Amino acid sequence: MIDFIKIYVFDKGVIDRITNLDFIHKVNYSQWVNFKTGQIFITHKFDLDGILFYWDDYKLTIVLKPHYYFNENIHNANDFTTSKSLETLTGIIQRLELENALEHLKIVGIEYGVNFVIDAIDTEVVNAICYHSTNQFYNIKDLPYCKVSYQTSKSGKANQHKQYKFYAKAIQHPTHCKPNTLRAEIRSNRSKYINKLGIYTVADLLNLETYQTFKDHLTKETEQLFFTQELKKTRSLTPHQRATLKKMNSPFYWQKVLKNQRSKFTRKKAQYFTLLDKTGYNLTKIVITGIKDKLNELFTEKCGLTSRPLKTVKSGLTSYNSILRHCTTFKTCLVTGENITMQNRDSFLLSNTGLKKLEQTNPTRFKELVNNYITGNHNKYETTIYSQLSKQIRNEYFNRQHQQKRLYPVEQTNLFNISA
């Protein structure tokens, strides 16, 4: 599901660890001048099989596309399941030797979505899409049959908090997917939205429950889609109903409603859908159902390795096969030993659901976990005792797995310390 990740690294030790890797090659560098202070800033750009690194005086930015990386940077037109996402991210972490530094890899941008096929011509479907909630869809420059919706400021600037992207994947990669394949995805470059998904660092993307959250949020946002469409089989309607439907089928009608009757938009849309349902063809409902069905299909896959192994796998991080083996073998938390059968079937650590159940059934044991794992140094993002506990349990799991740290030879050259 994950199509794009943007990461900030501020910890100097972690930055040094990455910049000392001898298999990352430099692409170029850029510089700019702060004319107020006269200070010159330099950003070095490096690449590792499509993973991009931008390093300046303040931070290291990592940009990666897991779905493309999985397909050797050729396309993202096939299915990218939870198991494939975990396998890919695990392999990347191993290549960069960051097994014990996951909490320092802050997620500041993300895209997640799904490819699907319905019984309709993909280009016609893209042309027909109008709104996500009350946000209009706009064409993306230089990308045919690709649209994105967002809120706009008074100056017309796009809001980066949350955007819904919809496009014809078969147009982009016709040789790698079925005809008429479409893609729907959510993207955000704002921590406020990303944190609401329970995502703060790369460690959270190794949590199987995060992918259930992606599914739930994508489903919820998809239900806000709205299409106008070509009218078919209107004989079942009265003359008055046909006239009303024809009038409402214009994008200009809905622009006027939002401008002058915004409070009536939902009611008008329901009226429009009722008329379309009477004709037997409602494109909006067909698309929504298609996306939901595909998501349900992806999330009913058996927990196990369903794709090829990565070319480069290094020791240090619990292997992907091991993670998946826990899904089917263990019914207890791998850290606390507590029962987790009430959680998502892919869970292998206590989560909020299991902790709430434990508090109800065994408050003494729950209090013991609180005393053992809650230090008093609360993270501002974990607002409940359950989220604080699950975070600490997850940290304990990864700390156990990554106790051996890589030692760097003093004489090793730092690739990023290349003079401009």
Side-chain angles (χ1 to χ4, degrees):
M1 295 184 70
I2 303 177
D3 205 45
F4 173 88
I5 304 171
K6 185 177 182 180
I7 301 167
Y8 281 168
V9 184
F10 296 99
D11 185 270
K12 187 180 184 303
V14 177
I15 293 175
D16 288 344
R17 181 184 307 185
I18 298 173
T19 57
N20 273 293
L21 295 173
D22 57 7
F23 48 79
I24 301 176
H25 68 276
K26 185 174 183 179
V27 177
N28 57 34
Y29 74 93
S30 59
Q31 62 183 33
W32 60 279
V33 179
N34 185 326
F35 292 103
K36 292 183 178 180
T37 64
Q39 185 177 3
I40 299 176
F41 295 90
I42 298 176
T43 300
H44 297 276
K45 179 180 178 181
F46 290 76
D47 174 82
L48 174 63
D49 294 336
I51 304 173
L52 300 180
F53 305 82
Y54 301 88
W55 179 68
D56 56 35
D57 292 336
Y58 301 103
K59 67 181 181 300
L60 176 67
T61 302
I62 305 174
V63 176
L64 60 99
K65 299 179 179 181
H67 198 165
Y68 273 95
Y69 183 89
F70 176 79
N71 290 311
E72 299 181 348
N73 296 308
I74 298 173
H75 68 92
N76 66 340
N78 58 342
D79 291 340
F80 196 51
T81 62
T82 296
S83 60
K84 292 177 182 178
S85 295
L86 284 169
E87 175 195 4
T88 302
L89 288 173
T90 300
I92 291 172
I93 291 167
Q94 291 171 332
R95 289 193 74 181
L96 299 178
E97 303 181 18
L98 294 173
E99 296 92 334
N100 61 347
L102 301 182
E103 296 297 329
H104 295 290
L105 309 180
K106 181 181 179 182
I107 304 295
V108 295
I110 197 164
E111 293 182 12
Y112 57 95
V114 64
N115 299 322
F116 67 102
V117 180
I118 58 174
D119 187 16
I121 299 175
D122 53 357
T123 54
E124 294 181 359
V125 176
V126 175
N127 286 334
I129 197 167
C130 283
Y131 293 95
H132 170 246
S133 185
T134 56
N135 299 326
Q136 187 174 345
F137 274 90
Y138 301 91
N139 291 321
I140 297 180
K141 186 179 179 181
D142 300 327
L143 291 176
Y145 298 104
C146 182
K147 294 187 176 182
V148 62
S149 76
Y150 45 77
Q151 288 183 337
T152 57
S153 64
K154 292 182 179 179
S155 62
K157 188 176 181 180
N159 189 315
Q160 298 293 318
H161 177 75
K162 178 182 66 178
Q163 299 182 349
Y164 198 109
K165 189 177 176 183
F166 192 92
Y167 56 105
K169 180 56 65 177
I171 297 294
Q172 185 183 23
H173 296 296
T175 61
H176 297 286
C177 60
K178 295 179 180 179
N180 297 320
T181 297
L182 296 156
R183 181 170 180 83
E185 64 185 28
I186 302 293
R187 68 182 184 186
S188 175
N189 289 326
R190 296 294 180 268
S191 295
K192 184 176 181 181
Y193 175 81
I194 296 170
N195 294 162
K196 284 184 178 180
L197 300 176
I199 300 171
Y200 305 95
T201 69
V202 169
D204 297 307
L205 298 182
L206 297 179
N207 185 345
L208 291 162
E209 291 188 349
T210 298
Y211 296 84
Q212 182 64 46
T213 300
F214 284 148
K215 177 192 175 186
D216 293 343
H217 276 255
L218 184 56
T219 298
K220 180 180 177 181
E221 298 296 339
T222 294
E223 291 173 346
Q224 302 300 313
L225 291 180
F226 177 43
F227 295 74
T228 56
Q229 64 182 69
E230 179 185 356
L231 299 181
K232 301 180 179 181
K233 299 179 180 180
T234 61
R235 293 181 180 179
S236 59
L237 303 179
T238 66
H240 176 71
Q241 289 175 330
R242 281 197 294 270
T244 301
L245 183 57
K246 184 177 180 180
K247 177 181 67 175
M248 300 179 79
N249 206 47
S250 168
F252 299 106
Y253 171 85
W254 297 103
Q255 291 175 11
K256 184 177 180 181
V257 168
L258 283 172
K259 182 178 180 180
N260 301 322
Q261 300 175 307
R262 193 177 188 90
S263 61
K264 298 181 181 180
F265 181 80
T266 301
R267 180 173 60 82
K268 292 286 186 180
K269 189 167 67 171
Q271 180 186 358
Y272 178 62
F273 287 164
T274 298
L275 293 174
L276 288 176
D277 288 341
K278 289 183 178 181
T279 70
Y281 187 80
N282 186 329
L283 181 59
T284 300
K285 291 187 177 180
I286 291 172
V287 172
I288 292 173
T289 300
I291 295 174
K292 287 182 176 180
D293 287 347
K294 187 61 181 182
L295 286 170
N296 289 332
E297 175 189 331
L298 294 179
F299 276 77
T300 55
E301 68 159 352
K302 293 182 180 180
C303 189
L305 189 59
T306 60
S307 53
R308 58 175 173 77
L310 294 176
K311 293 181 179 179
T312 303
V313 179
K314 297 185 178 181
S315 61
L317 180 65
T318 298
S319 71
Y320 178 70
N321 285 312
S322 177
I323 292 176
L324 290 174
R325 186 165 62 250
H326 296 324
C327 299
T328 56
T329 303
F330 293 93
K331 297 297 182 181
T332 58
C333 172
L334 297 182
V335 172
T336 65
E338 296 301 320
N339 180 19
I340 58 172
T341 55
M342 77 295 296
Q343 296 178 182
N344 185 288
R345 66 183 179 86
D346 291 337
S347 299
F348 58 93
L349 297 175
L350 258 178
S351 68
N352 292 11
T353 300
L355 287 166
K356 291 177 181 178
K357 184 68 174 180
L358 180 64
E359 185 181 29
Q360 295 173 356
T361 58
N362 192 345
T364 301
R365 175 56 175 160
F366 179 81
K367 186 175 181 180
E368 181 181 340
L369 292 180
V370 172
N371 292 335
N372 288 342
Y373 288 100
I374 303 300
T375 62
N377 300 320
H378 300 318
N379 186 313
K380 65 179 181 180
Y381 299 113
E382 278 73 59
T383 57
T384 69
I385 190 67
Y386 311 109
S387 59
Q388 292 169 18
L389 265 175
S390 61
K391 189 79 168 184
Q392 293 302 318
I393 290 170
R394 185 165 66 252
N395 290 346
E396 173 70 14
Y397 173 76
F398 283 109
N399 286 338
R400 289 180 183 180
Q401 302 297 321
H402 319 313
Q403 289 184 3
Q404 289 189 351
K405 297 185 179 181
R406 180 174 184 263
L407 297 178
Y408 298 96
V410 175
E411 69 273 14
Q412 182 172 342
T413 302
N414 184 327
L415 287 181
F416 285 75
N417 290 337
I418 300 175
S419 60

